[in-house]
Amino acid sequence: MKQAEKLLNLRRREMVETLQRYGIVNRRVLDAFLEVRRELFLEGDAADSAYIDSAYPIGFGQTISQPYTVAFMTALLVERCSSGRVLEIGTGSGYQAAILDALGYSVFTVERIFELYERAEKLFARLGLNIACRFGDGTLGWLDKAPFDGIMVTAGAPKEPESLLRQLAENGCLVIPVGGNDSQQMTVFLREGNDFKREVFQHFVFVPLVGREGWNDTVF
Ligand code: SAM
């Protein structure tokens, strides 16, 4: 193995140790973070710092989320729906979708910025990942492919989109940051028949979820 690759593997293990120190204990989640090479989802100088626990710009005013944030959301999902079909809203770099794929879910992902959608779809093909991609407004979900055992929204929403709640399978869960422009509270909705049990967690800062059931795009 080349020296550069060895160093990246070491950095990846160190990142996972950091996640453990921050309280991520789910073994399946930690193993997925050991498996997926984050440097492949970053470009230019950022790829050299792939294993620093930091968000990075990916162009078009968007970011790849901080590993801790990705791990926190993934653990919420895994602990409530451990397998099945998962829809991600906000493909961005593709890193979160690749983590879900490494966990063995059937992954569907929607992105509203065409260039990011196209870049991620090409990258998944190059890596041999079987992830279904769609360009469009993810606040409306992906009706043809519903229901989903899990839905994960990786952008900050003013409120949980009704369409996403409706596309959950029985006992399915929606993981979504909900709040204002400055910060959002990580929220989980668990479907029980026509009712949704709500759980709330800590605050994070996300780029906005822009769409018909999200923020109005004239605001951003
Ligand atoms: N999951 C991404 C990753 O692993 O890199 C993080 C993405 S970034 C924090 C949020 C993404 O959500 C951006 O790419 C943004 O364009 C996208 N987004 C915002 N509103 C959306 C919508 N209505 N439908 C689909 N994607 C949306």
Side-chain angles (χ1 to χ4, degrees):
M1 190 187 295
K2 284 192 203 130
Q3 200 57 30
E5 203 178 325
K6 273 190 191 158
L7 188 63
L8 284 167
N9 289 347
L10 173 68
R11 295 273 173 271
R12 191 158 56 251
R13 284 198 296 276
E14 287 171 349
M15 177 188 76
V16 169
E17 283 163 18
T18 304
L19 295 176
Q20 284 177 294
R21 276 201 303 281
Y22 289 171
I24 305 296
V25 291
N26 187 292
R27 193 62 251 173
R28 282 182 63 205
V29 173
L30 294 171
D31 285 345
F33 276 78
L34 282 174
E35 187 179 323
V36 180
R37 294 166 56 196
R38 191 170 185 248
E39 70 273 16
L40 300 177
F41 298 84
L42 290 163
E43 290 183 342
D45 293 348
D48 299 335
S49 318
Y51 295 108
I52 295 175
D53 188 30
S54 176
Y56 289 106
I58 53 171
F60 311 96
Q62 306 304 320
T63 53
I64 177 173
S65 302
Q66 183 182 347
Y68 173 70
T69 307
V70 178
F72 188 87
M73 295 183 78
T74 307
L76 289 176
L77 181 82
V78 166
E79 284 155 13
R80 287 160 185 76
C81 57
S82 60
S83 62
R85 296 154 59 82
V86 170
L87 173 66
E88 179 205 24
I89 307 304
T91 315
S93 69
Y95 181 64
Q96 171 75 77
I99 291 281
L100 294 171
D101 178 78
L103 280 156
Y105 293 107
S106 256
V107 185
F108 301 80
T109 182
V110 183
E111 171 58 54
R112 71 179 280 272
I113 296 177
F114 184 77
E115 290 83 350
L116 293 178
Y117 148 78
E118 206 179 26
R119 191 202 288 170
E121 191 176 49
K122 281 188 186 147
L123 180 59
F124 295 148
R126 186 156 62 78
L127 300 178
L129 302 180
N130 187 16
I131 294 173
C133 299
R134 183 177 185 204
F135 165 59
D137 177 5
T139 66
L140 305 176
W142 193 336
L143 196 52
D144 298 354
K145 306 286 183 188
F148 298 98
D149 302 289
I151 301 180
M152 185 184 274
V153 179
T154 65
K159 178 180 189 307
E160 61 286 3
E162 274 298 319
S163 297
L164 297 185
L165 291 175
R166 277 200 303 272
Q167 290 177 31
L168 282 177
E170 179 64 13
N171 297 319
C173 73
L174 167 66
V175 181
I176 181 168
V178 179
N181 290 342
D182 297 340
S183 87
Q184 304 86 30
Q185 189 161 28
M186 197 56 70
T187 309
V188 173
F189 294 87
L190 263 176
R191 181 166 203 163
E192 292 169 357
N194 285 330
D195 291 332
F196 296 91
K197 197 174 103 198
R198 183 167 172 268
E199 299 171 87
V200 288
F201 299 88
Q202 66 201 61
H203 283 80
F204 290 85
V205 179
F206 280 84
V207 294
L209 179 75
V210 178
R212 182 120 49 102
E213 296 186 36
W215 295 100
N216 188 323
D217 64 357
T218 55
V219 176
F220 297 97

